[in-house]
Amino acid sequence: MTARLIGVWILAGLASACGDTPAPPSDAAGRLGDRMITLAEVDAKWQEMNLSEAMRALETVYTGRRTALDAIIGDEIIARAAKAKGLSIEQFLRDEITKRVTPIADGDVEAFYEANKAQAEGQPLAQVRSAIVELLEREHRDDARLALLADLRKDAGASVIALQPPRRPVEVLPGDPTRGPASAAVTIVEFSDYQCPFCARVTPVLARIRATYGDRVRIVWKDFPLEEIHPRALMLASAARCAGEQKKYWEFHDYVFANQDTASTAAVNDLARQSGLDAAALSACVASKRHEHAVADGQFAGHGLGVDSTPTFFINGRRVAGAQPYDVIARVIDDELSRVQRP
């Protein structure tokens, strides 16, 4: 802690202890004389000093708060349903969960044992059967409670989530490759690298997102080649934009990620032929380096947003890092769509 911050902290503490000033408002983080420092000001400075760290922390706080909020709403829905039936919450849950719990079959126990044999450390099934049954019963009860809550929500009326996630607005440039209409309710900006294996892994997930949500989602590509570890990523990014001159940007994009191992080592002419492009035109375009400034724009934008790995997504400004499964990305999209649809 710097000397100045220590001074601010001591002054604030002394003022509070001696009663010379009223208690600070809820958004106050500190005070130096008559200068009040707000929490918003502190957060802005934190993001200026270390954006990646600040965003991760704010996302963790939001996730924890949202989980707690959903739990409170769920508890309230269950409490109201129990009251409507004239039952205690405990009795209502016992009755309703019992209806929904599926019995544990021998096959379930054996399948679980086989899938987790390493954790059994050589113990035979007979020795760990009761522990497995207890674990599966607990999971079944949890699943039954979730199913009950899903049923109750249908008649509980819409809940309004006022809690806002941390967002970072991302500018979409005219030259950015896009899939989906500009009018889409949800824009996913993807910072990615053509040699990144995790980026290749998430490509089918994005294809499923497009198939599921259609025109409600727009996907925007931002080049973010990690040249230190992927020496051909810059060339592939430039080649993709050159393919765009032949109206085949996304065809080239999909070809590279579907054939990443060979595409990462192939000559430009071979890449062109394999992806159905004019080889001479593609080679000349790549050699001219005329698209490298557009690639650099993506890198510059990413660094300004605290991007430090690929893939990193901003879904209506909400950061989602890594090759996340479909359910994780779909959950954020669904939440964004629910916010748009509110009156």
Side-chain angles (χ1 to χ4, degrees), residues 149-167:
L149 189 53
D151 289 342
L152 293 175
R153 283 182 186 276
K154 296 172 186 175
D155 301 319
S159 56
V160 177
I161 306 297
L163 189 65
Q164 287 294 323
R167 299 180 191 272

Side-chain angles (χ1 to χ4, degrees), residues 40-342:
E41 186 179 355
V42 170
D43 285 347
K45 187 66 175 179
W46 184 13
Q47 292 180 40
E48 177 187 323
M49 293 167 62
N50 192 331
L51 180 57
S52 293
E53 178 190 82
M55 288 301 293
R56 281 192 291 268
L58 293 171
E59 287 156 10
T60 299
V61 170
Y62 171 77
T63 299
R65 286 174 171 170
R66 180 60 190 268
T67 300
L69 176 60
D70 288 343
I72 291 169
I73 291 172
D75 290 345
E76 180 63 23
I77 289 172
I78 289 171
R80 292 182 182 187
K83 184 177 180 181
K85 288 200 170 187
L87 298 173
S88 68
I89 294 173
E90 293 76 13
Q91 185 62 53
F92 175 77
L93 286 173
R94 240 187 332 265
D95 293 349
E96 295 297 327
I97 287 176
T98 299
K99 296 176 189 176
R100 291 170 171 80
V101 169
T102 55
I104 308 297
D106 287 342
D108 297 333
V109 177
E110 292 161 7
F112 183 91
Y113 176 77
E114 290 299 324
N116 298 275
K117 220 168 188 176
Q119 284 72 36
E121 298 180 344
Q123 298 178 83
L125 175 57
Q127 199 168 334
V128 296
R129 178 181 289 275
S130 61
I132 293 175
V133 169
E134 182 180 345
L135 174 63
L136 291 177
E137 286 178 342
R138 186 161 60 249
E139 288 182 352
H140 283 212
R141 286 195 298 272
D142 290 344
D143 290 343
R145 190 182 190 279
L146 289 174
L148 166 63
L149 189 53
D151 289 342
L152 293 175
R153 283 182 186 276
K154 296 172 186 175
D155 301 319
S159 56
V160 177
I161 306 297
L163 189 65
Q164 287 294 323
R167 299 180 191 272
R168 295 287 298 181
V170 185
E171 183 182 8
V172 178
L173 301 176
D176 289 336
T178 63
R179 276 173 157 161
S183 59
V186 176
T187 293
I188 302 173
V189 179
E190 175 189 8
F191 287 85
S192 193
D193 173 322
Y194 279 105
Q195 269 193 284
C196 164
F198 300 102
C199 302
R201 188 181 304 170
V202 82
T203 300
V205 172
L206 295 176
R208 184 179 171 190
I209 291 291
R210 296 200 318 274
T212 302
Y213 292 94
D215 287 348
R216 292 177 292 170
V217 168
R218 172 175 64 153
I219 296 176
V220 178
W221 172 276
K222 294 277 191 182
D223 288 302
F224 199 81
L226 302 172
E227 298 173 71
E228 301 82 2
I229 57 175
H230 298 145
R232 282 171 61 89
L234 174 59
M235 183 279 290
L236 289 169
S238 296
R241 290 180 177 270
C242 289
E245 293 185 5
Q246 299 183 38
K247 309 298 183 187
K248 290 189 175 181
Y249 179 90
W250 290 109
E251 289 84 352
F252 184 88
H253 166 282
D254 294 346
Y255 171 80
V256 171
F257 279 129
N259 303 274
Q260 194 175 57
D261 290 341
T262 55
S264 294
T265 58
V268 175
N269 282 343
D270 292 334
L271 277 173
R273 284 190 291 269
Q274 291 160 5
S275 56
L277 296 169
D278 181 312
L282 187 71
S283 295
C285 178
V286 171
S288 75
K289 299 186 177 183
R290 60 175 170 265
H291 289 294
E292 288 191 1
H293 70 282
V295 176
D297 286 343
Q299 292 173 304
F300 180 78
H303 288 306
L305 292 162
V307 174
D308 54 12
S309 63
T310 55
T312 294
F313 304 94
F314 289 85
I315 304 176
N316 281 4
R318 296 167 63 169
R319 192 180 75 104
V320 177
Q324 299 294 341
Y326 173 85
D327 289 346
V328 170
I329 296 177
R331 194 178 306 125
V332 179
I333 293 172
D334 289 341
D335 185 56
E336 287 301 298
L337 290 173
S338 72
R339 293 171 188 270
V340 170
Q341 290 163 4
R342 286 178 203 144

